Amino acid sequence: MPSVQSLQPGDISTSQNSPHVLLPFLQSQPQNTLTRLYQRPSSCLSIFRLLGPLERQLIMNLLWLESAIPTNTMAAWVVPEGKKLYNDALTVMTGLHIIQNPTVKLALNSTFRSSLRQAITGGGNTGSFGVPADKDDKRQPNAIELLDAYALERWETILHYMVSSGQGQLPTKPSSGVLYLLQRSELMKANHGATLQITSSGFQFLLHSPHDQLWDLLLQYLHMAEERQMDLVEVLSFLFMLSTMELGREYSTDSLSQTQKVLLEDLRDYGLIWQKKSSSKRFSPTRLATTLTSLSPSLPTSNSRTGSGTNAVGVAASSAQQGFIVLETNYRVYAYTDNPLQTAVLNLFITMKYRFPNLVVGMLTRESVRKALANGISAEQIISYLSTHAHPQMRKNNPLLPVTVQDQIRLWELERNRLKSAEGYLYKDFASQADYMYVLEYAKQLDVVLWENGAKRCFFGSLEGHANVRGFIERRTGGG
Amino acid sequence: MEKASHLSVIVDLSPTQWHLSAQADNQYPLSIQTFLSQLLAFLNTHIASQHENTLAVFGALPGKSVMLYSSTDVVADDAIAPDANSYPPFKAVDSTVVQNMMYEFDAFQKSDHEPPCDLVGALTKALCYINRITHPSTTANSAAEDPSILPDPRILILSVSPDLSPSYIPIMNSIFSAQKLKVTIDICKIYGPDTVFLQQAAHLTNGSYIYLERRDALLQYLIMSFLSPPAIRKVLAVPKQDKVDFRAACFCHKNIVDIGFVCSVCLSIFCQPVPVCSTCRTKFPIKTLQRLNASRPSLNPVNSRNSLPLANLNNASPRPTPTRNLNGVS
């Protein structure tokens, strides 16, 4: 009998307190690499920001101490209920080699300590926060609106390319570097011949927040950089430097190393950096870059765009910031958007009904949701997408989304998991009940029985157990 | 996602007290220069913790209070020269705070009598500022609608001046507003005797009051006790006072009293029985006054009786329904 089994809802990509995606990557690096990375104050500051709040407080507690303090002294500050959190925090920091040997005495890694001190007090001559370009009297530096529009355009080109690849349309192609990265990260796959097809992880990727998407891609880039023999420390410290730069300021490329200049070009394709020409001696980070280590939205907000040219993309982005989706209890979805990307993403799990210049109306139906599930999107992801992009009007509701709709989406997902398949062998036609019981007993000891039916004298065993069960039967028939 | 937090720092900049604090005969002399450098490091640490953290610095100067820095005000672009060796926001904080402080010090009038520091003014300004940033919907552009990025506000008062009893009522009112706004008030007493009112402020708003014993370790004290937002304080304990001085100041002479007399109508506090409440003009029966005066554990009852204005006593004739009376409280 097929077993009915409810599976756990798919892994929710951004749970509340999960550590930042970059931290496991850093932990996997050798101590030598990390120590070199810690030599730059800007890297220390950015890593510090990526850590959880408790780790940050502990680092600060230790930062200005000259000598190591006994572990017990620090533990005395911890309230009993927080013991586990505290130990977890210590483990994370030990993994990053920020704290060494925490069993007896607590002290910061001396390189990390002096760099972070320098970051906070300023001074030194590492130049790790980016060398600003000299003032150019001929040209004004770029307005922030321009940078935002540029970043948005680049980023949406990538996403739009991904989302429409499944539908046979051909929008503007991102550069080959981006395409390669998308392929490497298995967000897209080359489908018989040249055309790239979005994969199920690619569909999941589309529903993440821009901040998570960006880090997902950058993490892939870092893995790739390792293979391309690029110096990881230089790549990382360049990213961290970008994250501490000021939006709307121009920086000089003179102080960059050869690796970092290559990097500059790649990041330009992703929209993290703006350059007038590829040969230009100066560059400006965009909002995507400067918010790498923060929680604030990495794509432009509405008030920064007022007064600039209101092209379709820009207006849509501002409404996205505030949320644009209204979901009703009758499964109708009203999306106040004219952004083709958002429409396309919605189209992944909604049956479109009408389209107006600023409004898209659709229905969540069994078919549309099942289509999304078949693409690898989980019910939780649909729900979280709907709730993060809920219209301000929806925010007055508690709960935010109608419970009936949420439950139905989950039920539709469970529906797909009604059947569970397993490969194996059916043992039948036993001569006697005693024979049957004897073999079944043996198979049960091996824990290979998936299904049994005593009345019909047959049972179904898994593939792994077949050799044993078969041997057992042969020995019995041979011996008997 | 964890919340951003807002910190308003109120710095007590009384020239006399800082001069006294820097004297070499103190066990740990602390000059304002050293203090300032450690304070700036602390402010930078707060901004470093999270990109969205906001900061405001207020100064309590003799007779006035000023806002020295706020992270929501955009600094003029040319004011700060970019520098490859420091994080731009840190530089902005440091130079703005120092610049504004110097400007205020230069503006001091040289006079024999130094008016007391306007701590209450600074506290009220800080509360107003917090109210403004936590309720952005009332301002013109309400971009920060998302409740998850609304800052978690705190106020830190770095005090060097002793208690000013005339400011008792405004301080208490500020405390009540802070409670309403869910603002935690932390106190760091850097120099001078313990202050009763600030102890109460910290106690009533669930903050911590710390008397700085080792003034050479100011920065470590600040970081260990005052950097952590309330969420972290649930894991890493922060010292609290074990005993709080709950004494109040009377409304009539602004003295801090051990035993006071409270108007039964409006709860005003007096250091001695009065025939007419100065706040709500309620008249009290003369019999009660006599009884209360007789039972006072006062050291010099004669003096206090003399200070009562006779005219008022005459007005306080017993009324037909003498339900109102003064109650003694301790």
Side-chain angles (χ1 to χ4, degrees), chain A residues 208-239:
Chain A
H208 292 173
S209 72
H211 188 259
D212 292 342
Q213 291 172 344
L214 185 58
W215 271 111
D216 275 353
L217 279 191
L218 286 178
L219 205 60
Q220 278 308 323
Y221 188 88
L222 289 171
H223 283 301
M224 229 165 72
E226 273 180 312
E227 291 162 28
R228 280 163 65 184
Q229 307 291 321
M230 286 165 91
D231 187 357
L232 206 60
V233 175
E234 296 210 4
V235 179
L236 277 170
S237 54
F238 186 70
L239 285 179

PDB file of all heavy atoms in Angstrom, chain A residues 208-239:
ATOM      1  N   HIS A 208      13.645  35.027  -4.189  1.00  0.00           N
ATOM      2  CA  HIS A 208      14.413  35.587  -3.067  1.00  0.00           C
ATOM      3  C   HIS A 208      14.431  37.095  -3.131  1.00  0.00           C
ATOM      4  O   HIS A 208      14.104  37.691  -4.156  1.00  0.00           O
ATOM      5  CB  HIS A 208      15.861  35.077  -3.097  1.00  0.00           C
ATOM      6  CG  HIS A 208      15.991  33.623  -2.806  1.00  0.00           C
ATOM      7  ND1 HIS A 208      17.173  32.955  -2.919  1.00  0.00           N
ATOM      8  CD2 HIS A 208      15.082  32.716  -2.398  1.00  0.00           C
ATOM      9  CE1 HIS A 208      16.993  31.687  -2.609  1.00  0.00           C
ATOM     10  NE2 HIS A 208      15.750  31.518  -2.292  1.00  0.00           N
ATOM     11  N   SER A 209      14.884  37.707  -2.020  1.00  0.00           N
ATOM     12  CA  SER A 209      15.033  39.163  -2.028  1.00  0.00           C
ATOM     13  C   SER A 209      16.308  39.500  -2.803  1.00  0.00           C
ATOM     14  O   SER A 209      17.216  38.682  -2.900  1.00  0.00           O
ATOM     15  CB  SER A 209      15.145  39.668  -0.600  1.00  0.00           C
ATOM     16  OG  SER A 209      16.390  39.313  -0.080  1.00  0.00           O
ATOM     17  N   PRO A 210      16.367  40.703  -3.381  1.00  0.00           N
ATOM     18  CA  PRO A 210      17.546  41.069  -4.170  1.00  0.00           C
ATOM     19  C   PRO A 210      18.857  40.880  -3.407  1.00  0.00           C
ATOM     20  O   PRO A 210      19.865  40.479  -3.964  1.00  0.00           O
ATOM     21  CB  PRO A 210      17.321  42.542  -4.498  1.00  0.00           C
ATOM     22  CG  PRO A 210      15.876  42.756  -4.367  1.00  0.00           C
ATOM     23  CD  PRO A 210      15.375  41.760  -3.374  1.00  0.00           C
ATOM     24  N   HIS A 211      18.812  41.152  -2.098  1.00  0.00           N
ATOM     25  CA  HIS A 211      20.013  41.031  -1.287  1.00  0.00           C
ATOM     26  C   HIS A 211      20.510  39.589  -1.272  1.00  0.00           C
ATOM     27  O   HIS A 211      21.704  39.324  -1.463  1.00  0.00           O
ATOM     28  CB  HIS A 211      19.694  41.524   0.120  1.00  0.00           C
ATOM     29  CG  HIS A 211      20.888  41.629   0.990  1.00  0.00           C
ATOM     30  ND1 HIS A 211      21.180  40.675   1.931  1.00  0.00           N
ATOM     31  CD2 HIS A 211      21.866  42.540   1.074  1.00  0.00           C
ATOM     32  CE1 HIS A 211      22.295  41.008   2.547  1.00  0.00           C
ATOM     33  NE2 HIS A 211      22.737  42.130   2.057  1.00  0.00           N
ATOM     34  N   ASP A 212      19.596  38.648  -1.080  1.00  0.00           N
ATOM     35  CA  ASP A 212      19.975  37.233  -1.072  1.00  0.00           C
ATOM     36  C   ASP A 212      20.439  36.780  -2.447  1.00  0.00           C
ATOM     37  O   ASP A 212      21.391  36.004  -2.562  1.00  0.00           O
ATOM     38  CB  ASP A 212      18.791  36.363  -0.635  1.00  0.00           C
ATOM     39  CG  ASP A 212      18.444  36.584   0.813  1.00  0.00           C
ATOM     40  OD1 ASP A 212      19.304  37.119   1.529  1.00  0.00           O
ATOM     41  OD2 ASP A 212      17.324  36.249   1.221  1.00  0.00           O
ATOM     42  N   GLN A 213      19.735  37.261  -3.483  1.00  0.00           N
ATOM     43  CA  GLN A 213      20.108  36.890  -4.842  1.00  0.00           C
ATOM     44  C   GLN A 213      21.537  37.314  -5.125  1.00  0.00           C
ATOM     45  O   GLN A 213      22.344  36.551  -5.661  1.00  0.00           O
ATOM     46  CB  GLN A 213      19.172  37.566  -5.846  1.00  0.00           C
ATOM     47  CG  GLN A 213      17.765  37.027  -5.808  1.00  0.00           C
ATOM     48  CD  GLN A 213      16.826  37.835  -6.673  1.00  0.00           C
ATOM     49  OE1 GLN A 213      17.140  38.957  -7.067  1.00  0.00           O
ATOM     50  NE2 GLN A 213      15.673  37.271  -6.964  1.00  0.00           N
ATOM     51  N   LEU A 214      21.832  38.549  -4.719  1.00  0.00           N
ATOM     52  CA  LEU A 214      23.153  39.092  -4.992  1.00  0.00           C
ATOM     53  C   LEU A 214      24.226  38.255  -4.323  1.00  0.00           C
ATOM     54  O   LEU A 214      25.230  37.881  -4.940  1.00  0.00           O
ATOM     55  CB  LEU A 214      23.192  40.533  -4.479  1.00  0.00           C
ATOM     56  CG  LEU A 214      24.447  41.322  -4.768  1.00  0.00           C
ATOM     57  CD1 LEU A 214      24.681  41.367  -6.248  1.00  0.00           C
ATOM     58  CD2 LEU A 214      24.308  42.728  -4.224  1.00  0.00           C
ATOM     59  N   TRP A 215      23.981  37.920  -3.036  1.00  0.00           N
ATOM     60  CA  TRP A 215      24.995  37.135  -2.331  1.00  0.00           C
ATOM     61  C   TRP A 215      25.103  35.729  -2.889  1.00  0.00           C
ATOM     62  O   TRP A 215      26.191  35.148  -2.941  1.00  0.00           O
ATOM     63  CB  TRP A 215      24.715  37.117  -0.828  1.00  0.00           C
ATOM     64  CG  TRP A 215      25.358  38.252  -0.137  1.00  0.00           C
ATOM     65  CD1 TRP A 215      24.740  39.316   0.440  1.00  0.00           C
ATOM     66  CD2 TRP A 215      26.772  38.476   0.034  1.00  0.00           C
ATOM     67  NE1 TRP A 215      25.666  40.176   0.959  1.00  0.00           N
ATOM     68  CE2 TRP A 215      26.920  39.694   0.730  1.00  0.00           C
ATOM     69  CE3 TRP A 215      27.914  37.771  -0.329  1.00  0.00           C
ATOM     70  CZ2 TRP A 215      28.153  40.215   1.066  1.00  0.00           C
ATOM     71  CZ3 TRP A 215      29.148  38.290   0.004  1.00  0.00           C
ATOM     72  CH2 TRP A 215      29.263  39.500   0.690  1.00  0.00           C
ATOM     73  N   ASP A 216      23.973  35.162  -3.337  1.00  0.00           N
ATOM     74  CA  ASP A 216      24.017  33.834  -3.968  1.00  0.00           C
ATOM     75  C   ASP A 216      24.973  33.860  -5.156  1.00  0.00           C
ATOM     76  O   ASP A 216      25.826  32.988  -5.301  1.00  0.00           O
ATOM     77  CB  ASP A 216      22.617  33.437  -4.472  1.00  0.00           C
ATOM     78  CG  ASP A 216      21.789  32.811  -3.373  1.00  0.00           C
ATOM     79  OD1 ASP A 216      22.359  32.570  -2.289  1.00  0.00           O
ATOM     80  OD2 ASP A 216      20.594  32.571  -3.600  1.00  0.00           O
ATOM     81  N   LEU A 217      24.812  34.889  -5.989  1.00  0.00           N
ATOM     82  CA  LEU A 217      25.655  34.980  -7.179  1.00  0.00           C
ATOM     83  C   LEU A 217      27.108  35.237  -6.811  1.00  0.00           C
ATOM     84  O   LEU A 217      28.021  34.639  -7.383  1.00  0.00           O
ATOM     85  CB  LEU A 217      25.153  36.083  -8.105  1.00  0.00           C
ATOM     86  CG  LEU A 217      23.983  35.724  -9.015  1.00  0.00           C
ATOM     87  CD1 LEU A 217      23.770  36.811 -10.039  1.00  0.00           C
ATOM     88  CD2 LEU A 217      24.229  34.402  -9.721  1.00  0.00           C
ATOM     89  N   LEU A 218      27.306  36.132  -5.838  1.00  0.00           N
ATOM     90  CA  LEU A 218      28.686  36.464  -5.477  1.00  0.00           C
ATOM     91  C   LEU A 218      29.408  35.244  -4.894  1.00  0.00           C
ATOM     92  O   LEU A 218      30.590  35.040  -5.130  1.00  0.00           O
ATOM     93  CB  LEU A 218      28.712  37.621  -4.480  1.00  0.00           C
ATOM     94  CG  LEU A 218      28.398  38.986  -5.088  1.00  0.00           C
ATOM     95  CD1 LEU A 218      28.395  40.053  -4.013  1.00  0.00           C
ATOM     96  CD2 LEU A 218      29.402  39.338  -6.169  1.00  0.00           C
ATOM     97  N   LEU A 219      28.643  34.452  -4.146  1.00  0.00           N
ATOM     98  CA  LEU A 219      29.239  33.260  -3.559  1.00  0.00           C
ATOM     99  C   LEU A 219      29.695  32.316  -4.667  1.00  0.00           C
ATOM    100  O   LEU A 219      30.789  31.749  -4.601  1.00  0.00           O
ATOM    101  CB  LEU A 219      28.199  32.583  -2.680  1.00  0.00           C
ATOM    102  CG  LEU A 219      28.740  31.725  -1.552  1.00  0.00           C
ATOM    103  CD1 LEU A 219      29.585  32.562  -0.627  1.00  0.00           C
ATOM    104  CD2 LEU A 219      27.596  31.101  -0.778  1.00  0.00           C
ATOM    105  N   GLN A 220      28.842  32.187  -5.694  1.00  0.00           N
ATOM    106  CA  GLN A 220      29.242  31.379  -6.844  1.00  0.00           C
ATOM    107  C   GLN A 220      30.503  31.940  -7.483  1.00  0.00           C
ATOM    108  O   GLN A 220      31.403  31.221  -7.877  1.00  0.00           O
ATOM    109  CB  GLN A 220      28.120  31.372  -7.893  1.00  0.00           C
ATOM    110  CG  GLN A 220      27.028  30.378  -7.608  1.00  0.00           C
ATOM    111  CD  GLN A 220      27.570  28.994  -7.371  1.00  0.00           C
ATOM    112  OE1 GLN A 220      28.524  28.579  -8.010  1.00  0.00           O
ATOM    113  NE2 GLN A 220      26.971  28.295  -6.424  1.00  0.00           N
ATOM    114  N   TYR A 221      30.507  33.257  -7.558  1.00  0.00           N
ATOM    115  CA  TYR A 221      31.653  33.929  -8.170  1.00  0.00           C
ATOM    116  C   TYR A 221      32.924  33.599  -7.392  1.00  0.00           C
ATOM    117  O   TYR A 221      33.985  33.352  -7.976  1.00  0.00           O
ATOM    118  CB  TYR A 221      31.403  35.436  -8.202  1.00  0.00           C
ATOM    119  CG  TYR A 221      32.440  36.168  -8.986  1.00  0.00           C
ATOM    120  CD1 TYR A 221      32.298  36.344 -10.351  1.00  0.00           C
ATOM    121  CD2 TYR A 221      33.579  36.676  -8.371  1.00  0.00           C
ATOM    122  CE1 TYR A 221      33.260  36.992 -11.090  1.00  0.00           C
ATOM    123  CE2 TYR A 221      34.547  37.326  -9.099  1.00  0.00           C
ATOM    124  CZ  TYR A 221      34.384  37.483 -10.457  1.00  0.00           C
ATOM    125  OH  TYR A 221      35.336  38.121 -11.199  1.00  0.00           O
ATOM    126  N   LEU A 222      32.799  33.590  -6.067  1.00  0.00           N
ATOM    127  CA  LEU A 222      33.970  33.296  -5.238  1.00  0.00           C
ATOM    128  C   LEU A 222      34.456  31.879  -5.477  1.00  0.00           C
ATOM    129  O   LEU A 222      35.659  31.636  -5.592  1.00  0.00           O
ATOM    130  CB  LEU A 222      33.619  33.479  -3.760  1.00  0.00           C
ATOM    131  CG  LEU A 222      33.414  34.923  -3.322  1.00  0.00           C
ATOM    132  CD1 LEU A 222      32.871  34.984  -1.914  1.00  0.00           C
ATOM    133  CD2 LEU A 222      34.731  35.671  -3.404  1.00  0.00           C
ATOM    134  N   HIS A 223      33.505  30.946  -5.586  1.00  0.00           N
ATOM    135  CA  HIS A 223      33.908  29.568  -5.882  1.00  0.00           C
ATOM    136  C   HIS A 223      34.638  29.505  -7.222  1.00  0.00           C
ATOM    137  O   HIS A 223      35.627  28.803  -7.381  1.00  0.00           O
ATOM    138  CB  HIS A 223      32.672  28.664  -5.925  1.00  0.00           C
ATOM    139  CG  HIS A 223      32.159  28.315  -4.569  1.00  0.00           C
ATOM    140  ND1 HIS A 223      32.909  27.660  -3.633  1.00  0.00           N
ATOM    141  CD2 HIS A 223      30.965  28.541  -3.969  1.00  0.00           C
ATOM    142  CE1 HIS A 223      32.209  27.493  -2.530  1.00  0.00           C
ATOM    143  NE2 HIS A 223      31.016  28.027  -2.702  1.00  0.00           N
ATOM    144  N   MET A 224      34.097  30.282  -8.182  1.00  0.00           N
ATOM    145  CA  MET A 224      34.690  30.292  -9.511  1.00  0.00           C
ATOM    146  C   MET A 224      36.078  30.920  -9.471  1.00  0.00           C
ATOM    147  O   MET A 224      37.009  30.456 -10.139  1.00  0.00           O
ATOM    148  CB  MET A 224      33.802  31.107 -10.435  1.00  0.00           C
ATOM    149  CG  MET A 224      33.489  30.442 -11.718  1.00  0.00           C
ATOM    150  SD  MET A 224      32.122  31.294 -12.483  1.00  0.00           S
ATOM    151  CE  MET A 224      32.886  32.802 -13.003  1.00  0.00           C
ATOM    152  N   ALA A 225      36.197  31.958  -8.650  1.00  0.00           N
ATOM    153  CA  ALA A 225      37.473  32.663  -8.564  1.00  0.00           C
ATOM    154  C   ALA A 225      38.565  31.722  -8.083  1.00  0.00           C
ATOM    155  O   ALA A 225      39.710  31.799  -8.521  1.00  0.00           O
ATOM    156  CB  ALA A 225      37.349  33.840  -7.613  1.00  0.00           C
ATOM    157  N   GLU A 226      38.177  30.819  -7.180  1.00  0.00           N
ATOM    158  CA  GLU A 226      39.158  29.852  -6.692  1.00  0.00           C
ATOM    159  C   GLU A 226      39.707  29.026  -7.850  1.00  0.00           C
ATOM    160  O   GLU A 226      40.898  28.790  -7.935  1.00  0.00           O
ATOM    161  CB  GLU A 226      38.494  28.925  -5.673  1.00  0.00           C
ATOM    162  CG  GLU A 226      38.514  29.447  -4.263  1.00  0.00           C
ATOM    163  CD  GLU A 226      37.847  28.478  -3.318  1.00  0.00           C
ATOM    164  OE1 GLU A 226      36.739  28.013  -3.638  1.00  0.00           O
ATOM    165  OE2 GLU A 226      38.427  28.203  -2.264  1.00  0.00           O
ATOM    166  N   GLU A 227      38.765  28.630  -8.747  1.00  0.00           N
ATOM    167  CA  GLU A 227      39.212  27.791  -9.855  1.00  0.00           C
ATOM    168  C   GLU A 227      39.978  28.585 -10.898  1.00  0.00           C
ATOM    169  O   GLU A 227      40.820  28.039 -11.599  1.00  0.00           O
ATOM    170  CB  GLU A 227      38.002  27.114 -10.511  1.00  0.00           C
ATOM    171  CG  GLU A 227      37.383  26.080  -9.611  1.00  0.00           C
ATOM    172  CD  GLU A 227      35.969  25.737 -10.037  1.00  0.00           C
ATOM    173  OE1 GLU A 227      35.673  25.867 -11.240  1.00  0.00           O
ATOM    174  OE2 GLU A 227      35.182  25.356  -9.166  1.00  0.00           O
ATOM    175  N   ARG A 228      39.632  29.857 -11.005  1.00  0.00           N
ATOM    176  CA  ARG A 228      40.330  30.668 -12.013  1.00  0.00           C
ATOM    177  C   ARG A 228      41.678  31.146 -11.495  1.00  0.00           C
ATOM    178  O   ARG A 228      42.283  32.034 -12.076  1.00  0.00           O
ATOM    179  CB  ARG A 228      39.473  31.874 -12.399  1.00  0.00           C
ATOM    180  CG  ARG A 228      38.382  31.517 -13.389  1.00  0.00           C
ATOM    181  CD  ARG A 228      37.315  32.572 -13.442  1.00  0.00           C
ATOM    182  NE  ARG A 228      37.804  33.854 -13.954  1.00  0.00           N
ATOM    183  CZ  ARG A 228      37.056  34.947 -14.013  1.00  0.00           C
ATOM    184  NH1 ARG A 228      35.811  34.916 -13.583  1.00  0.00           N
ATOM    185  NH2 ARG A 228      37.532  36.060 -14.488  1.00  0.00           N
ATOM    186  N   GLN A 229      42.116  30.601 -10.378  1.00  0.00           N
ATOM    187  CA  GLN A 229      43.417  30.957  -9.799  1.00  0.00           C
ATOM    188  C   GLN A 229      43.491  32.434  -9.413  1.00  0.00           C
ATOM    189  O   GLN A 229      44.564  33.018  -9.382  1.00  0.00           O
ATOM    190  CB  GLN A 229      44.570  30.637 -10.764  1.00  0.00           C
ATOM    191  CG  GLN A 229      44.584  29.229 -11.295  1.00  0.00           C
ATOM    192  CD  GLN A 229      44.929  28.220 -10.223  1.00  0.00           C
ATOM    193  OE1 GLN A 229      45.773  28.473  -9.385  1.00  0.00           O
ATOM    194  NE2 GLN A 229      44.245  27.099 -10.224  1.00  0.00           N
ATOM    195  N   MET A 230      42.327  33.031  -9.167  1.00  0.00           N
ATOM    196  CA  MET A 230      42.393  34.410  -8.693  1.00  0.00           C
ATOM    197  C   MET A 230      42.671  34.353  -7.194  1.00  0.00           C
ATOM    198  O   MET A 230      42.291  33.395  -6.528  1.00  0.00           O
ATOM    199  CB  MET A 230      41.052  35.109  -8.919  1.00  0.00           C
ATOM    200  CG  MET A 230      40.803  35.452 -10.375  1.00  0.00           C
ATOM    201  SD  MET A 230      39.079  35.861 -10.652  1.00  0.00           S
ATOM    202  CE  MET A 230      39.098  37.600 -10.411  1.00  0.00           C
ATOM    203  N   ASP A 231      43.322  35.362  -6.697  1.00  0.00           N
ATOM    204  CA  ASP A 231      43.624  35.386  -5.269  1.00  0.00           C
ATOM    205  C   ASP A 231      42.347  35.728  -4.511  1.00  0.00           C
ATOM    206  O   ASP A 231      41.793  36.807  -4.650  1.00  0.00           O
ATOM    207  CB  ASP A 231      44.711  36.419  -4.973  1.00  0.00           C
ATOM    208  CG  ASP A 231      45.149  36.328  -3.535  1.00  0.00           C
ATOM    209  OD1 ASP A 231      44.558  35.513  -2.797  1.00  0.00           O
ATOM    210  OD2 ASP A 231      46.069  37.066  -3.157  1.00  0.00           O
ATOM    211  N   LEU A 232      41.895  34.768  -3.718  1.00  0.00           N
ATOM    212  CA  LEU A 232      40.625  34.920  -3.023  1.00  0.00           C
ATOM    213  C   LEU A 232      40.633  36.126  -2.085  1.00  0.00           C
ATOM    214  O   LEU A 232      39.641  36.837  -1.942  1.00  0.00           O
ATOM    215  CB  LEU A 232      40.356  33.648  -2.233  1.00  0.00           C
ATOM    216  CG  LEU A 232      38.898  33.350  -1.964  1.00  0.00           C
ATOM    217  CD1 LEU A 232      38.166  33.213  -3.274  1.00  0.00           C
ATOM    218  CD2 LEU A 232      38.780  32.082  -1.161  1.00  0.00           C
ATOM    219  N   VAL A 233      41.783  36.345  -1.456  1.00  0.00           N
ATOM    220  CA  VAL A 233      41.867  37.451  -0.512  1.00  0.00           C
ATOM    221  C   VAL A 233      41.626  38.778  -1.229  1.00  0.00           C
ATOM    222  O   VAL A 233      40.910  39.651  -0.744  1.00  0.00           O
ATOM    223  CB  VAL A 233      43.243  37.449   0.189  1.00  0.00           C
ATOM    224  CG1 VAL A 233      43.384  38.652   1.076  1.00  0.00           C
ATOM    225  CG2 VAL A 233      43.409  36.177   0.979  1.00  0.00           C
ATOM    226  N   GLU A 234      42.179  38.879  -2.436  1.00  0.00           N
ATOM    227  CA  GLU A 234      42.001  40.138  -3.164  1.00  0.00           C
ATOM    228  C   GLU A 234      40.551  40.315  -3.586  1.00  0.00           C
ATOM    229  O   GLU A 234      40.010  41.414  -3.531  1.00  0.00           O
ATOM    230  CB  GLU A 234      42.905  40.150  -4.398  1.00  0.00           C
ATOM    231  CG  GLU A 234      44.358  40.128  -4.006  1.00  0.00           C
ATOM    232  CD  GLU A 234      45.218  40.843  -5.009  1.00  0.00           C
ATOM    233  OE1 GLU A 234      44.652  41.413  -5.964  1.00  0.00           O
ATOM    234  OE2 GLU A 234      46.437  40.840  -4.840  1.00  0.00           O
ATOM    235  N   VAL A 235      39.922  39.215  -4.016  1.00  0.00           N
ATOM    236  CA  VAL A 235      38.522  39.294  -4.434  1.00  0.00           C
ATOM    237  C   VAL A 235      37.656  39.713  -3.258  1.00  0.00           C
ATOM    238  O   VAL A 235      36.856  40.652  -3.340  1.00  0.00           O
ATOM    239  CB  VAL A 235      38.048  37.935  -4.988  1.00  0.00           C
ATOM    240  CG1 VAL A 235      36.595  38.014  -5.394  1.00  0.00           C
ATOM    241  CG2 VAL A 235      38.888  37.514  -6.164  1.00  0.00           C
ATOM    242  N   LEU A 236      37.838  39.019  -2.141  1.00  0.00           N
ATOM    243  CA  LEU A 236      37.020  39.311  -0.969  1.00  0.00           C
ATOM    244  C   LEU A 236      37.253  40.723  -0.469  1.00  0.00           C
ATOM    245  O   LEU A 236      36.309  41.447  -0.166  1.00  0.00           O
ATOM    246  CB  LEU A 236      37.341  38.309   0.139  1.00  0.00           C
ATOM    247  CG  LEU A 236      36.625  36.968   0.039  1.00  0.00           C
ATOM    248  CD1 LEU A 236      37.202  36.004   1.044  1.00  0.00           C
ATOM    249  CD2 LEU A 236      35.141  37.143   0.286  1.00  0.00           C
ATOM    250  N   SER A 237      38.517  41.114  -0.394  1.00  0.00           N
ATOM    251  CA  SER A 237      38.746  42.438   0.187  1.00  0.00           C
ATOM    252  C   SER A 237      38.235  43.528  -0.745  1.00  0.00           C
ATOM    253  O   SER A 237      37.807  44.588  -0.289  1.00  0.00           O
ATOM    254  CB  SER A 237      40.221  42.642   0.538  1.00  0.00           C
ATOM    255  OG  SER A 237      41.013  42.396  -0.572  1.00  0.00           O
ATOM    256  N   PHE A 238      38.202  43.240  -2.048  1.00  0.00           N
ATOM    257  CA  PHE A 238      37.625  44.229  -2.952  1.00  0.00           C
ATOM    258  C   PHE A 238      36.116  44.344  -2.718  1.00  0.00           C
ATOM    259  O   PHE A 238      35.569  45.443  -2.670  1.00  0.00           O
ATOM    260  CB  PHE A 238      37.907  43.841  -4.406  1.00  0.00           C
ATOM    261  CG  PHE A 238      37.469  44.879  -5.398  1.00  0.00           C
ATOM    262  CD1 PHE A 238      38.122  46.088  -5.491  1.00  0.00           C
ATOM    263  CD2 PHE A 238      36.384  44.651  -6.229  1.00  0.00           C
ATOM    264  CE1 PHE A 238      37.714  47.046  -6.404  1.00  0.00           C
ATOM    265  CE2 PHE A 238      35.967  45.608  -7.138  1.00  0.00           C
ATOM    266  CZ  PHE A 238      36.631  46.806  -7.225  1.00  0.00           C
ATOM    267  N   LEU A 239      35.453  43.203  -2.538  1.00  0.00           N
ATOM    268  CA  LEU A 239      34.009  43.233  -2.272  1.00  0.00           C
ATOM    269  C   LEU A 239      33.721  43.991  -0.978  1.00  0.00           C
ATOM    270  O   LEU A 239      32.810  44.811  -0.906  1.00  0.00           O
ATOM    271  CB  LEU A 239      33.462  41.806  -2.158  1.00  0.00           C
ATOM    272  CG  LEU A 239      33.313  41.030  -3.447  1.00  0.00           C
ATOM    273  CD1 LEU A 239      32.786  39.643  -3.150  1.00  0.00           C
ATOM    274  CD2 LEU A 239      32.363  41.752  -4.390  1.00  0.00           C
TER     275      LEU A 239
END
